Amino acid sequence: MKISIKNKYWILFLMFCVSSQVVYSQTKTSKSRQITSLNKNWKFHLGSANNPSKDFDYSIVRNFTIAGGGGGCIVPEFKDDDWRTVNVPHDWAVELPFEYHKHFDVQSHGYRPVGGFYPDNSIGWYRKHFTVDNTKEGQRFIIRFEGVYRDFKIWVNNNYIGSTFSGYSESSFDITDFIELSKDNVIVVRVDATQYEGWFYEGAGIYRNVFLETLSPVHIPEYGVYVSSKVEKAKGIVQAQTSVKNQEGKTVDCSVVSYVVDAKGTKITKSLTEKLTVKNNESATTIQNFTINKPELWDLENPNLYRLVSIVKKNGITTDSTQTEFGIRNFVYDAEKGFSLNGKSMKVKGMCVHQDHAGVGTAVPDALVYYRIKLLKEMGVNAYRCSHNPPSKSVLEACDKLGMMVLDEIRVIGTGKEYFEQFEKLILRDRNHASIMLWSLGNEETGVQNTDLGRRMAHTLVQRQKELDPSRLSTYGGNNGIKYLGINQEMDVRGFNYHIKELDDYHKEHPKQPIIFSEVSSMVSSRGMYVKDSIKGYLPDYDLNKPRWGQTAEEWWKFTVDRPWLMGGFVWTGFDYRGEPTPFTWPNVNSHFGIMDVCGFPKNTYYYYQSWWTDKDVIKIYPHWNGHKTGEKVNVWCNSNADEVELLLNGKSLGKKVMPRNGHLEWDVVYEPGKLEAIGLKNGKTIRTFVETTDKAYQIVLTPDRKTINADGNDVSVINITVLDNKGREVPDAMNLIQFALTGDASILGVGNGDPSSHEADKCLDGNWKRSLFNGKCQIILQSSEKEGEFVLTASSEGLKSATTAILIKN
């Protein structure tokens, strides 16, 4: 059976948030629509979940009794001068010291002291002062939170506005009635992180962007544009559904004018105009169809995006306009032939990804999201699973623009009001993104996945998905192997989490259901370590260790390529993440599952995937050649896509070996100091690499990902730190403590080193920024100011030659 999807979606152009300037997120602005960042200059203070005196009397004052009758820190005149000033995205959990607690959920969240056991660390208060010019009178004002962890309540000028339960759902609130023009306005947010939602590090606070949207009373509402497409006879058939909302106080006649432009902004279709009559406080929708001759398709190498321009006019005057980016592409899921994109058969080479990063926790700036997606692309990854919750908008924007398919996933399966609305919002928010290949209805819902209750809920969700987005299919991450009855029987595409030995039998029993590994492998390793240390919590950096349910990288990938009907899969995980320190506990605070560590530094298995997932010339040998004893036997691995590889120690050949397809090579080498070299022959071309015994560290090297960043107050420079010996060789086992000093208009966001057992601070709130190297590497993340100029970072360490790097900030 073949299931084909031919469609076209939009993506937003990413521009970073500045408190005083208009920015573009899902849509670009017109004269009537303005989207202003509220990321800067929030006041922050911890509260308490069980002590009113520490919680600004929240539970004992009359905050919900009468309109405008609140108390404590909710009232606008409250003095917050002694509160700390922070910018959002902000994660207060990553600022806290690690603390051992034997409870499993504390362990799985990385031993950060947030949650029910820590009432004085689990409530956060935010206050934001802002003004709105009186020229905006008559406009509508919407405040949008892209993500707050979690269960937050909001007041504007002492008026309760609303709340949001989940830490992963976007929220918007119409605050028009509460705005005071040309006066000080105060937003107050109380965030309650006492409850966990997942079983992994989740952070705490306003950890995604915040915007104030200013709209005409006659406007395109939230998620009011939906673009779909199909390819027919070398033509792109595009359908645009556009809604108009009227809040003018009377029925209005208006029109929707739409057309398509290409990536260069050139208009490529004629304008279509549709007249609408919209009653007060209602919405009306129009459907317009376009044809694009010989469309340039969105794919992994050329992620081409078009833009739908939508204009609302009343009496000939524009009241609103948006530009919606989308892509035209063709996904096919075939139960016999597997997966194809735009007619090209391929395997899904995916990674599951949690959303935290070293130094910043879950408060990952948009530019850092792009950095992480690029690292995955360089490895050969072509698909990203949002594990296990809706992603930030910037993740989808980056995947759209960089050419990365996405499995977009809801946090919890359910059809009660709360979870059902979260599911609807996920689809409405994300359905225009070109990168999304499938919707995921959940992950490992062991309590219901094999039951008729699970089936009924899945049926309801799939039916609603088809109504909101008929262009895509649904799957589910099931860790129930061969079992079919329950959630799996409702799925368009069967998602297998592990259970690799049962997959062939399942395919035989259900030959018409396409199958993908929604989660696979779970191989564990620690970057740069080559012996197991159960006390400190380290695993060898080889593709060897796996939990009872998992597979090595080589095991699952060979299994997959041998089965044409198996579409591919998503490895657990692309990056290490805080929490789930399998197979260890304290002092481990991070997972070991990542193919890269929490900083994005590659582990050795990275090069296995890069060898077989890309066309690059890859050759990598390990371990490093420091710290071994002369005469001891060292197990040397080589990852490469060369046809054959020869290994040499100090110029003496240790033999040539043919590289097995989708495999690796090994030699047992009697150690002696010096140079270990691998020479590969690939299609007649020589490729080579080596490891070498080094002297002790002598000098620091700073390597920024970019030397110029945007003067928008949100862009970042990721600077990786290594050390060299006095002969200029990188020292792979160095553990020196590095101290940092910064001059110029920039700020330090955080530091990290990828050590899963490090208890050093990610955030040095005292200003004394420092971090130890872990096996030769650490990382510092710097954020730009809103002023053009230059900042200089200096890194120093006792006994080492210091290093500086200058980063230019410009518009």
Side-chain angles (χ1 to χ4, degrees):
M1 181 182 73
K2 179 184 293 184
I3 300 177
S4 177
I5 304 178
K6 302 177 180 180
N7 46 22
K8 161 184 191 177
Y9 313 108
W10 73 269
I11 176 176
L12 308 143
F13 187 74
L14 174 67
M15 300 183 74
F16 304 121
C17 310
V18 182
S19 61
S20 61
Q21 79 179 91
V22 174
V23 298
Y24 308 101
S25 179
Q26 264 196 326
T27 54
K28 296 187 177 180
T29 68
S30 68
K31 292 181 180 179
S32 59
R33 173 183 289 253
Q34 291 184 319
I35 306 175
T36 305
S37 172
L38 295 182
N39 280 3
K40 301 301 181 182
N41 299 317
W42 289 77
K43 291 290 188 176
F44 172 76
H45 203 292
L46 285 174
S48 175
N50 67 358
N51 187 338
S53 66
K54 294 182 179 180
D55 200 35
F56 306 99
D57 296 332
Y58 169 73
S59 60
I60 58 175
V61 295
R62 301 170 66 185
N63 291 318
F64 303 98
T65 304
I66 59 175
C73 63
I74 292 168
V75 298
E77 59 270 21
F78 176 86
K79 299 299 182 183
D80 55 21
D81 298 344
D82 62 343
W83 288 25
R84 184 155 64 95
T85 300
V86 300
N87 296 328
V88 301
H90 175 242
D91 174 3
W92 84 70
V94 78
E95 302 171 351
L96 300 172
F98 297 99
E99 185 172 321
Y100 175 70
H101 194 292
K102 65 180 180 180
H103 194 276
F104 177 78
D105 277 333
V106 178
Q107 170 192 316
S108 70
H109 282 75
Y111 294 106
R112 292 292 189 180
V114 172
F117 294 107
Y118 304 99
D120 289 343
N121 292 342
S122 300
I123 302 294
W125 286 92
Y126 293 86
R127 288 170 55 87
K128 168 72 176 178
H129 296 258
F130 69 104
T131 58
V132 176
D133 191 274
N134 58 14
T135 59
K136 305 290 177 60
E137 186 173 3
Q139 300 290 84
R140 308 297 303 183
F141 302 99
I142 310 293
I143 187 169
R144 182 177 305 280
F145 295 85
E146 291 190 349
V148 181
Y149 192 84
R150 61 174 296 278
D151 195 12
F152 76 94
K153 293 178 172 58
I154 175 177
W155 292 260
V156 175
N157 295 334
N158 204 14
N159 293 280
Y160 177 65
I161 307 300
S163 64
T164 294
F165 171 81
S166 175
Y168 302 100
S169 287
E170 182 176 86
S171 309
S172 62
F173 304 91
D174 189 323
I175 60 172
T176 304
D177 292 343
F178 311 105
I179 291 291
E180 300 289 347
L181 298 177
S182 297
K183 295 181 180 179
D184 184 46
N185 294 276
V186 181
I187 302 167
V188 180
V189 179
R190 184 181 189 266
V191 182
D192 185 342
T194 55
Q195 275 278 351
Y196 301 130
E197 287 190 60
W199 51 95
F200 38 84
Y201 178 82
E202 298 180 278
I206 305 176
Y207 74 100
R208 293 179 182 169
N209 299 317
V210 183
F211 297 101
L212 179 67
E213 302 178 5
T214 305
L215 306 170
S216 164
V218 180
H219 60 268
I220 298 171
E222 179 179 59
Y223 319 133
V225 177
Y226 172 45
V227 187
S228 61
S229 74
K230 56 185 177 181
V231 181
E232 291 182 354
K233 297 180 180 179
K235 293 183 179 181
I237 309 301
V238 180
Q239 183 178 95
Q241 298 181 27
T242 307
S243 297
V244 176
K245 187 173 184 177
N246 172 26
Q247 292 179 288
E248 197 166 271
K250 60 183 179 181
T251 298
V252 299
D253 293 320
C254 61
S255 59
V256 175
V257 181
S258 303
Y259 57 89
V260 176
V261 300
D262 64 16
K264 296 179 181 179
T266 303
K267 185 177 178 181
I268 60 172
T269 68
K270 64 180 181 179
S271 298
L272 298 181
T273 301
E274 184 78 17
K275 294 182 178 180
L276 293 173
T277 298
V278 190
K279 295 181 179 180
N280 184 50
N281 286 325
E282 293 186 6
S283 296
T285 300
T286 181
I287 297 177
Q288 296 165 310
N289 296 295
F290 303 88
T291 299
I292 300 175
N293 293 320
K294 296 180 180 179
E296 187 174 358
L297 302 183
W298 183 95
D299 62 27
L300 304 177
E301 291 75 32
N302 179 35
N304 181 66
L305 296 169
Y306 294 96
R307 281 178 287 155
L308 174 74
V309 179
S310 308
I311 303 169
V312 179
K313 292 187 176 184
K314 189 187 74 167
N315 297 327
I317 299 174
T318 297
T319 64
D320 196 8
S321 69
T322 66
Q323 294 188 26
T324 304
E325 288 185 305
F326 63 93
I328 303 174
R329 76 283 187 276
N330 178 21
F331 291 145
V332 174
Y333 305 90
D334 193 298
E336 296 178 357
K337 298 179 181 179
F339 174 76
S340 67
L341 171 61
N342 299 332
K344 180 180 179 181
S345 179
M346 64 178 67
K347 292 292 187 183
V348 174
K349 303 169 182 175
M351 291 283 158
C352 302
V353 183
H354 278 316
Q355 61 180 3
D356 66 299
H357 189 88
V360 298
T362 57
V364 181
D366 294 345
L368 185 55
V369 168
Y370 271 71
Y371 177 82
R372 287 161 58 87
I373 302 296
K374 288 177 181 177
L375 292 177
L376 293 171
K377 286 278 291 186
E378 289 169 8
M379 183 173 31
V381 175
N382 64 17
Y384 181 111
R385 182 188 181 200
C386 306
S387 309
H388 299 289
N389 47 263
S392 67
K393 287 183 179 178
S394 58
V395 166
L396 299 180
E397 291 168 355
C399 290
D400 284 348
K401 292 188 180 299
L402 297 175
M404 177 77 71
M405 298 180 291
V406 175
L407 176 59
D408 201 352
E409 188 161 276
I410 196 65
R411 172 71 282 279
V412 178
I413 194 170
T415 53
K417 185 176 186 295
E418 178 66 42
Y419 289 141
F420 191 72
E421 289 180 353
Q422 289 178 26
F423 180 71
E424 289 182 315
K425 185 170 290 187
L426 170 78
I427 295 174
L428 290 169
R429 187 196 70 162
D430 296 350
R431 60 187 177 176
N432 291 314
H433 286 280
S435 54
I436 296 175
M437 59 182 297
L438 284 167
W439 302 110
S440 173
L441 271 61
N443 177 75
E444 299 186 359
E445 297 279 2
T446 55
V448 299
Q449 65 184 1
N450 300 321
T451 68
D452 194 60
L453 170 60
R455 183 200 63 77
R456 295 194 303 269
M457 291 194 297
H459 180 82
T460 298
L461 293 174
V462 169
Q463 294 306 305
R464 185 57 175 150
Q465 177 254 299
K466 302 299 185 191
E467 293 169 357
L468 297 176
D469 178 29
S471 68
R472 289 186 182 85
L473 305 179
S474 287
T475 188
Y476 160 76
N479 62 335
N480 51 351
I482 201 167
K483 294 183 179 179
Y484 176 73
L485 297 179
I487 293 177
N488 290 332
Q489 71 188 95
E490 296 292 334
M491 292 302 102
D492 303 310
V493 175
R494 168 67 208 273
F496 251 77
N497 283 13
Y498 313 105
H499 287 266
I500 192 169
K501 294 179 180 179
E502 298 179 51
L503 197 142
D504 285 334
D505 289 338
Y506 185 91
H507 176 59
K508 289 178 182 178
E509 292 183 13
H510 308 284
K512 294 185 178 182
Q513 189 179 38
I515 300 175
I516 192 169
F517 275 126
S518 41
E519 189 171 314
V520 71
S521 185
S522 278
M523 184 274 299
V524 284
S525 63
S526 308
R527 178 181 59 79
M529 304 302 294
Y530 293 100
V531 294
K532 183 176 180 179
D533 187 335
S534 298
I535 304 300
K536 294 182 179 179
Y538 298 123
L539 292 157
D541 196 2
Y542 295 99
D543 183 24
L544 285 174
N545 294 287
K546 58 185 181 180
R548 57 176 175 76
W549 62 84
Q551 304 82 37
T552 66
E554 192 167 326
E555 181 183 1
W556 89 267
W557 184 242
K558 284 183 174 179
F559 179 93
T560 300
V561 296
D562 286 344
R563 289 158 174 79
W565 48 266
L566 180 54
M567 293 192 295
F570 294 87
V571 173
W572 191 264
T573 54
F575 300 86
D576 278 344
Y577 53 93
R578 291 166 176 79
E580 288 199 308
T582 309
F584 305 116
T585 58
W586 184 268
N588 241 186
V589 296
N590 281 2
S591 81
H592 298 265
F593 294 115
I595 310 305
M596 292 176 276
D597 68 19
V598 292
C599 295
F601 296 131
K603 302 180 189 178
N604 289 323
T605 304
Y606 178 101
Y607 300 98
Y608 171 80
Y609 286 114
Q610 192 178 60
S611 294
W612 305 116
W613 285 9
T614 76
D615 295 325
K616 298 177 182 179
D617 295 334
V618 181
I619 187 166
K620 169 74 173 180
I621 55 172
Y622 47 93
H624 58 69
W625 219 234
N626 284 359
H628 309 286
K629 295 180 181 179
T630 300
E632 76 171 315
K633 189 177 290 184
V634 179
N635 185 221
V636 175
W637 283 39
C638 177
N639 289 129
S640 180
N641 49 18
D643 302 315
E644 64 178 26
V645 178
E646 181 180 15
L647 193 69
L648 301 94
L649 178 58
N650 294 326
K652 181 181 179 181
S653 177
L654 303 180
K656 292 182 181 179
K657 293 187 178 184
V658 175
M659 177 65 70
R661 185 71 181 168
N662 297 306
H664 74 283
L665 294 175
E666 295 183 38
W667 288 262
D668 285 329
V669 179
V670 177
Y671 178 76
E672 61 180 61
K675 184 177 183 179
L676 184 70
E677 186 176 16
I679 301 174
L681 190 67
K682 180 183 179 184
N683 298 324
K685 180 173 61 174
T686 298
I687 57 177
R688 62 179 68 213
T689 190
F690 67 90
V691 292
E692 190 172 11
T693 308
T694 72
D695 297 327
K696 66 179 182 179
Y698 170 74
Q699 69 182 71
I700 302 170
V701 176
L702 301 177
T703 305
D705 71 312
R706 290 178 296 152
K707 297 286 287 185
T708 302
I709 59 176
N710 296 321
D712 61 4
N714 293 282
D715 205 359
V716 302
S717 177
V718 180
I719 300 178
N720 295 326
I721 297 93
T722 54
V723 289
L724 307 179
D725 69 5
N726 57 6
K727 296 179 182 178
R729 300 172 298 191
E730 186 173 319
V731 182
D733 55 347
M735 301 288 192
N736 306 69
L737 177 65
I738 310 295
Q739 296 178 315
F740 301 100
L742 183 65
T743 59
D745 289 320
S747 58
I748 300 174
L749 284 185
V751 289
N753 61 11
D755 181 352
S757 293
S758 175
H759 295 180
E760 294 177 286
D762 292 89
K763 302 276 193 178
C764 302
L765 299 182
D766 60 0
N768 182 24
W769 287 93
K770 56 188 176 182
R771 192 69 181 219
S772 296
L773 298 170
F774 176 63
N775 289 322
K777 299 180 185 296
C778 69
Q779 183 178 86
I780 185 168
I781 302 168
L782 308 179
Q783 189 164 51
S784 69
S785 68
E786 298 171 20
K787 298 178 182 178
E788 288 193 315
E790 184 180 73
F791 65 82
V792 177
L793 178 72
T794 300
S796 60
S797 181
E798 184 176 356
L800 300 185
K801 185 178 179 180
S802 63
T804 62
T805 188
I807 307 295
L808 185 64
I809 306 175
K810 63 184 298 183
N811 290 316

